[in-house]
């Protein structure tokens, strides 16, 4: 049973389910285990084991997605820091050009006098 959990949006990508108070997953159809297939419908130890494997799969998937998101954000930070360095170099280059132009203008105005 997929309920709208109050989790961060990142975790909603996985499809994590919130457990209702009706019973354990894999305990059989109509007992909170849902109809996840014939093994889970039957309930018992195999149904619980299948539910545990399913939950482990989704936890691993969520961990993998978080890791990829973290790597992506780290890469974005590096790209922005590089852009900042490039812009600072451009600013310094323009400042030097302005100084050269001011010197040239000053020299030209002295020659005209």
């Amino acid at each position: 049973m997929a309920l709208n959990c109050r989790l961060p949006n990142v975790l909603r990508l996985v499809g994590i389910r919130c457990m209702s108070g009706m019973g354990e997953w894999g305990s059989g159809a109509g007992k909170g285990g849902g109809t996840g297939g014939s093994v889970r419908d039957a309930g018992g130890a195999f149904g619980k084991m299948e539910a545990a494997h399913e939950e482990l799969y989704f936890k691993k998937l969520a961990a993998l997605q978080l890791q990829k998101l973290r790597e992506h954000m780290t890469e974005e930070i590096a790209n922005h820091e590089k852009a900042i360095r490039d812009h600072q170099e451009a600013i310094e280059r323009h400042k030097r050009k302005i100084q050269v132009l001011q010197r040239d203008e000053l020299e030209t105005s002295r020659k005209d006098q």
Side-chain angles (χ1 to χ4, degrees), residues 25-36:
W25 291 329
S27 60
K31 300 176 189 170
T35 57

Side-chain angles (χ1 to χ4, degrees), residues 11 14 16 25 52-66:
L11 296 179
V14 178
I16 294 177
W25 291 329
H53 286 303
E54 184 180 329
E55 291 306 311
L56 181 62
Y57 168 79
F58 283 113
K59 283 184 181 181
K60 285 182 180 180
L61 183 62
L64 181 64
Q65 286 180 335
L66 285 173

Side-chain angles (χ1 to χ4, degrees), residues 11 21 34 36 42-43 47 54 58-59 70 76 93 101 110-111:
L11 296 179
E54 184 180 329
F58 283 113
K59 283 184 181 181
R70 207 173 289 119
E76 285 288 316
R93 203 169 45 249
L101 290 172
R110 286 183 186 166
K111 288 180 184 178

Side-chain angles (χ1 to χ4, degrees), residues 36-79:
S38 60
V39 173
R40 287 183 69 176
D41 286 342
F46 285 113
K48 290 179 183 177
M49 183 177 66
E50 183 64 29
H53 286 303
E54 184 180 329
E55 291 306 311
L56 181 62
Y57 168 79
F58 283 113
K59 283 184 181 181
K60 285 182 180 180
L61 183 62
L64 181 64
Q65 286 180 335
L66 285 173
Q67 178 186 355
K68 286 183 179 182
L69 179 63
R70 207 173 289 119
E71 290 170 359
H72 175 73
M73 296 304 289
T74 302
E75 192 175 301
E76 285 288 316
I77 289 170
N79 289 338

